[in-house]
């Protein structure tokens, strides 16, 4: 399965697709939609003990840098295709380009699902 890298260039996030770099959105728009430069995920006591969290969370909150995290990630074909097919020249519900809003919504869904327990995944909150 092919993976698609991201990069930040001139305050714009790009994703690799079909041997070219496709614009996802401006850094300002992304940070506005993510709610700032850091993102926090809150876990209940059971969720905070999941194995992928290498250390226990004192306040059941995981904080991380949005730009660093997004630019260190790569994405599969399905994720990337859905993002790049969303138009950049049409506004979404929050007033930013639809492509930018699609990317952020998918990222938040992924991040929020990381601590999901089996019961929550059965209810459809996992990816």
């Amino acid at each position: 399965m092919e993976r698609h890298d991201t990069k930040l260039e001139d305050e714009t996030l790009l994703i690799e697709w079909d041997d070219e770099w496709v614009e996802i959105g401006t850094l300002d728009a992304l940070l506005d939609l993510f709610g700032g430069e850091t993102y926090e995920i809150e876990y209940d006591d059971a969720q905070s003990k999941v194995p992928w969290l290498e250390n226990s969370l004192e306040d059941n909150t995981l904080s991380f840098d949005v730009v660093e995290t997004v630019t260190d990630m790569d994405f599969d074909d399905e994720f990337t295709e859905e993002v790049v097919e969303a138009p950049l020249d049409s506004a979404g519900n929050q007033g930013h380009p639809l492509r930018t809003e699609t990317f952020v919504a998918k990222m938040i869904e992924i991040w929020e699902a990381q601590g999901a327990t089996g019961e929550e995944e059965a209810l459809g909150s996992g990816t």
Side-chain angles (χ1 to χ4, degrees):
M1 175 184 290
E2 188 173 348
R3 304 295 294 180
H4 305 278
D5 288 325
T6 57
K7 70 177 180 179
L8 190 62
E9 186 174 281
D10 297 326
E11 300 293 308
T12 301
L13 185 65
L14 306 167
I15 193 163
E16 187 179 24
W17 182 250
D18 284 341
D19 298 322
E20 64 183 23
W21 290 99
V22 177
E23 181 177 343
I24 292 175
T26 66
L27 185 56
D28 286 342
L30 289 161
L31 294 178
D32 182 48
L33 291 165
F34 280 119
E37 294 179 8
T38 58
Y39 191 82
E40 291 187 350
I41 302 172
E42 292 186 33
Y43 298 95
D44 65 25
D45 288 337
Q47 292 170 324
S48 68
K49 308 252 186 297
V50 295
W52 71 268
L53 290 173
E54 293 177 8
N55 55 350
S56 62
L57 305 173
E58 286 184 31
D59 62 357
N60 290 352
T61 302
L62 175 66
S63 298
F64 52 90
D65 182 276
V66 169
V67 175
E68 181 180 313
T69 301
V70 168
T71 56
D72 282 347
M73 295 180 76
D74 57 29
F75 300 94
D76 65 19
D77 287 335
E78 182 180 341
F79 179 100
T80 305
E81 184 172 18
E82 186 174 336
V83 170
V84 300
E85 285 184 352
L88 191 62
D89 58 357
S90 295
N93 294 336
Q94 298 178 357
H96 294 287
L98 186 56
R99 182 178 301 157
T100 309
E101 290 187 14
T102 299
F103 177 82
V104 171
K106 291 179 73 58
M107 289 306 308
I108 289 173
E109 179 182 341
I110 290 168
W111 291 340
E112 293 293 331
Q114 292 304 305
T117 62
E119 179 180 322
E120 289 163 327
E121 288 175 5
L123 297 173
S125 66
T127 57

